[in-house]
Amino acid sequence: MCGIVGFTGKQSAAPVLLDGLKKLEYRGYDSAGISVMDGKKIAVSKVTGRIANLCEKTQDGTNVSGFTGIGHTRWATHGAPTEENAHPHLSNDGRFAVVHNGIIENYLILREELKQAGYHFDSETDTEVIVHLVEMYYRGDVKEALMRTANRLQGSYALGVICSEQPGKIYAMREASPLILGVGVGENFFASDVTALVSHTRNVIYLEDGEFAELSGDSIRIFDLSGQQIHKKITRIMWDVQAAEKGGYEHFMLKEIMEQPAAVKATIAPRIKGGKICFDELSVTQEDLKGISQIIITACGSAYYAGCAGKYALERLTRIPVQVELASELRYSDPLIDEQTLLIVISQSGETADTIAAMRECKARGAKTLAIVNVVGSTVSTIADYTVYTWAGPEIAVATTKGYTTQVAVLYMLAIYVAEKLGRIGEETADYIKTLQALPRRIQQAIDMNPSIPAFAKKYHKSKALFFIGRNTDYATALEGALKMKEISYLHSEAYAAGELKHGTIALIEEHQPIIALCCNPSIMEKTLSNIVEVKSRGAEVLALTFRNNQKILSVADDLLFIPETDALFAGVIEIVPLQLLAYYVAKENNCDIDKPKNLAKSVTVE
Ligand code: F6R
């Protein structure tokens, strides 16, 4: 989704803005622009396509002078990805430039009103109404103009604003879209996320909804929408700059796949103390847990599939009914939720619009909310009653990998934690904990024991479609495996519950149709085996994912992927890894833009 940056200080603004925009590229975009103020007027440079084009146009920022500016990467929503629609947008009098992430829902009414008032529009965007409103309300005080503008806007926005009459100042305002201020020495910044800030400063302030800030080189003042100044704490970002760089890997996605043993370890290890799972961040008692009659897990995309994968352990161990719901559906479904519902919200970014909306809806109905989030300080974490962070570090590739596995790992831990507190598991806790502690090592083994994946990618990359099948925990992983494949390789891939094949899908099987069969759950292995035999007898080629010494599967499959043996209830985080690698190498064979797949954004901050 769109990314915004702002800078004010004593160095030339354009190179800093371009560098920030490059760091935000991973969020997904199709045009970009910067506005820089040279003390008197505002200069704007915009391009379609990549930041590289903007660097070329501005000669790496050297042909744009000024120490104050704002920049933007646009992921088109209202209007095609053209230069006219790219941000920043200028006011008719040229005194203001605005960048925006989010959607202004009442823009058509505002556009009409502003046209009637004599303002002309140069773009089809919803954003342009903002800059004209600011101009309309400006009487020499930008703060006042911003407050009056905010009063008129419905929807979501993270805004960056500069005004030619306020040299050295940048303004930032937020409502339901992420925005973070970077606190430097003699210079200050804002950005949509910390990746754009960490090379300059690790001291940040998380702006919240209904707040705006005025930044100059040596001051940051934050206000609420009544104009009251508020004081907020500075948070220190702990991860280092290298964490957001490729570190010798060809793609961020491959680096992040390889980081999974460490990411899962960082998420699990500090929470195991004295042979027990300890969530210091959860101050819940046995009485609180006894009061829970149902658990609803909600999320979007892979985070939703993480919920599907974690549901089995959660339900099996706690004996509390668990439902997994897509946030985009749950929010509009008039859900049956009350004070006895525990809502588990899963989000890597913590900024997904549908997830936030579903969470607010369920909270309003009385649910207790527990968020599993990767990005510290993100919106989801600020709304939740409890937050458990996945310590995956920054995830830059659009397709999630370590974000997903750490989410599933937290669900496993929650399952043991809740079950133990409720007295529903006893001595077996020790075995479960040992299994969890072994997960990082087993993920590494799953990476090491599959050297044939690039060869399988060569074999299958031209297929018309790939079907993933599995049952129970294998089915949940198949869903995520198929999503990984389609989103980065553009190869049509679908996951089917293996038992459903006969109810329709088997009609798709023809000679040489590749089937990826997940067979890592011994309790239903025989059943999946029958499905493998059925598709093979109709000409399918089967690539099976199973344990190395699983003779039954070895003897029927055409090709094999392996994972080390483990308790099936907790196998999902291991089982997905060879499928992530397969998707990666198929995408590579297909010459795809692996880290930034077409049409996708890392953080989906609009509905
Ligand atoms: C797929 C992927 C997406 C996200 C989804 C939710 O690889 O990354 O499906 O999982 O957009 O994002 P978060 O977890 O940030 O809420």
Side-chain angles (χ1 to χ4, degrees):
M1 294 275 119
C2 306
I4 70 177
V5 290
F7 171 77
T8 177
K10 293 189 183 68
Q11 54 176 317
S12 184
V16 180
L17 297 172
L18 290 170
D19 177 63
L21 293 181
K22 281 184 204 156
K23 303 274 169 43
L24 296 179
E25 276 191 294
Y26 78 98
R27 294 166 65 91
Y29 70 104
D30 32 46
S31 58
I34 55 171
S35 279
V36 175
M37 204 158 57
D38 68 358
K40 284 194 214 78
K41 58 179 182 14
I42 296 173
V44 182
S45 310
K46 307 200 244 191
V47 295
T48 56
R50 295 297 177 206
I51 304 294
N53 304 345
L54 193 57
C55 292
E56 198 180 310
K57 187 167 188 173
T58 60
Q59 291 173 348
D60 290 325
T62 53
N63 67 8
V64 190
S65 60
F67 303 130
T68 309
I70 52 179
H72 190 264
T73 48
R74 174 172 186 256
W75 189 83
T77 55
H78 297 65
T82 59
E83 264 189 39
E84 292 72 38
N85 290 332
H87 304 206
H89 292 288
L90 276 182
S91 57
N92 285 172
D93 62 9
R95 278 187 298 181
F96 293 93
V98 165
V99 289
H100 167 221
N101 171 20
I103 286 186
I104 304 304
E105 286 161 6
N106 59 338
Y107 85 103
L108 282 175
I109 301 167
L110 293 172
R111 196 175 165 105
E112 243 358 88
E113 178 189 320
L114 286 157
K115 275 187 184 168
Q116 299 284 330
Y119 291 91
H120 71 259
F121 282 76
D122 295 317
S123 77
E124 302 154 88
T125 63
D126 53 335
T127 303
E128 205 184 334
V129 298
I130 303 171
V131 74
H132 299 322
L133 284 173
V134 175
E135 179 187 335
M136 187 165 84
Y137 291 131
Y138 182 63
R139 303 276 180 276
D141 182 352
V142 180
K143 270 169 47 218
E144 186 66 33
L146 286 176
M147 286 189 288
R148 293 188 68 186
T149 299
N151 218 9
R152 302 295 316 281
L153 301 177
Q154 286 165 16
S156 57
Y157 49 85
L159 294 181
V161 180
I162 50 174
C163 170
S164 60
E165 290 182 359
Q166 306 292 333
K169 287 191 179 146
I170 52 176
Y171 297 85
M173 179 148 82
R174 145 174 193 155
E175 180 63 43
S177 249
L179 196 53
I180 300 160
L181 312 181
V183 186
V185 179
E187 55 186 19
N188 287 309
F189 311 79
F190 60 72
S192 299
D193 69 52
V194 290
T195 43
L197 300 174
V198 278
S199 57
H200 303 285
T201 176
R202 283 152 184 269
N203 295 330
V204 302
I205 298 172
Y206 292 98
L207 219 52
E208 283 168 59
D209 289 351
E211 293 177 352
F212 70 101
E214 182 190 74
L215 297 86
S216 62
D218 42 29
S219 83
I220 294 183
R221 296 197 302 153
I222 302 169
F223 306 90
D224 65 19
L225 288 181
S226 68
Q228 196 68 33
Q229 189 165 352
I230 44 185
H231 297 280
K232 295 180 66 90
K233 74 171 191 325
I234 294 179
T235 304
R236 185 118 178 111
I237 299 296
M238 297 314 285
W239 50 264
D240 58 22
V241 183
Q242 285 83 10
E245 285 169 358
K246 278 190 208 150
Y249 286 96
E250 195 176 343
H251 296 98
F252 278 110
M253 184 177 176
L254 187 58
K255 173 180 177 246
E256 288 161 6
I257 290 173
M258 299 305 180
E259 281 172 350
Q260 288 179 111
V264 170
K265 188 167 184 184
T267 302
I268 291 178
R271 292 173 171 133
I272 298 178
K273 290 179 195 155
K276 288 206 160 146
I277 305 281
C278 296
F279 282 108
D280 294 335
E281 54 275 72
L282 302 181
S283 52
V284 285
T285 62
Q286 193 190 43
E287 284 316 300
D288 295 332
L289 294 174
K290 274 189 182 152
I292 297 172
S293 64
Q294 63 165 350
I295 296 174
I296 309 265
I297 301 179
T298 197
C300 298
S302 290
Y304 166 77
Y305 292 142
C308 297
K311 168 192 156 111
Y312 293 93
L314 209 50
E315 204 163 57
R316 177 90 59 84
L317 302 188
T318 67
R319 307 315 294 165
I320 301 172
V322 180
Q323 279 183 64
V324 193
E325 304 280 353
L326 289 165
S328 53
E329 291 293 321
L330 183 67
R331 63 182 291 192
Y332 296 119
S333 68
D334 191 10
L336 292 173
I337 284 184
D338 56 19
E339 291 76 13
Q340 291 177 310
T341 304
L342 173 66
L343 183 82
I344 300 183
V345 178
I346 308 177
S347 178
Q348 189 283 128
S349 64
E351 302 294 349
T352 303
D354 280 320
T355 306
I356 293 169
M359 186 178 184
R360 290 195 201 274
E361 179 64 41
C362 297
K363 220 180 158 183
R365 289 168 190 247
K368 276 266 162 296
T369 51
L370 187 158
I372 300 174
V373 180
N374 193 40
V375 177
V376 176
S378 55
T379 305
V380 166
S381 72
T382 60
I383 303 171
D385 297 309
Y386 305 105
T387 298
V388 176
Y389 284 110
T390 50
W391 297 117
E395 192 178 61
I396 307 295
V398 165
T400 184
T401 51
K402 59 178 180 168
Y404 171 88
T405 42
T406 51
Q407 287 161 354
V408 181
V410 169
L411 288 171
Y412 291 164
M413 281 191 288
L414 277 175
I416 300 170
Y417 173 83
V418 174
E420 217 254 338
K421 269 209 178 291
L422 288 174
R424 297 193 180 150
I425 51 172
E427 284 172 3
E428 62 274 42
T429 307
D431 286 338
Y432 291 147
I433 286 183
K434 267 197 207 129
T435 307
L436 287 193
Q437 284 172 316
L439 287 177
R441 180 166 38 85
R442 291 191 172 136
I443 293 173
Q444 187 60 52
Q445 286 167 346
I447 292 172
D448 297 339
M449 70 205 305
N450 288 293
S452 311
I453 290 178
F456 294 149
K458 274 199 186 352
K459 176 172 172 184
Y460 292 116
H461 77 105
K462 285 204 178 113
S463 307
K464 205 167 65 187
L466 284 180
F467 301 133
F468 292 65
I469 60 167
R471 290 169 182 255
N472 197 270
T473 46
D474 286 332
Y475 173 50
T477 306
L479 290 164
E480 170 62 4
L483 178 63
K484 248 5 22 135
M485 182 63 75
K486 74 180 83 155
E487 69 180 331
I488 61 164
S489 76
Y490 315 143
L491 205 160
H492 179 211
S493 47
E494 295 300 336
Y496 299 113
E500 281 292 293
L501 284 171
K502 287 197 197 71
H503 301 286
T505 321
I506 203 159
L508 294 169
I509 306 299
E510 54 190 34
E511 208 58 28
H512 304 304
Q513 170 61 53
I515 297 281
I516 298 169
L518 281 68
C519 309
C520 301
N521 188 332
S523 70
I524 35 78
M525 186 96 67
E526 295 291 336
K527 305 287 176 193
T528 311
L529 185 61
S530 306
N531 298 122
I532 294 178
V533 175
E534 283 158 13
V535 293
K536 273 201 67 76
S537 63
R538 284 159 182 83
E541 280 189 43
V542 173
L543 170 58
L545 170 60
T546 191
F547 311 118
R548 200 186 266 292
N549 54 3
N550 186 346
Q551 292 309 327
K552 281 188 185 156
I553 303 291
L554 305 195
S555 59
V556 291
D558 299 280
D559 294 311
L560 289 153
L561 295 170
F562 297 109
I563 64 162
E565 239 167 303
T566 189
D567 181 339
L569 206 53
F570 305 114
V573 300
I574 307 169
E575 200 177 350
I576 190 61
V577 175
L579 301 183
Q580 294 167 342
L581 284 165
L582 183 67
Y584 173 82
Y585 283 107
V586 169
K588 210 167 159 210
E589 285 297 325
N590 289 352
N591 289 320
C592 298
D593 191 351
I594 295 180
D595 285 336
K596 295 186 270 293
K598 70 172 159 39
N599 304 335
L600 292 180
K602 180 69 181 160
S603 174
V604 185
T605 51
V606 295
E607 187 173 351

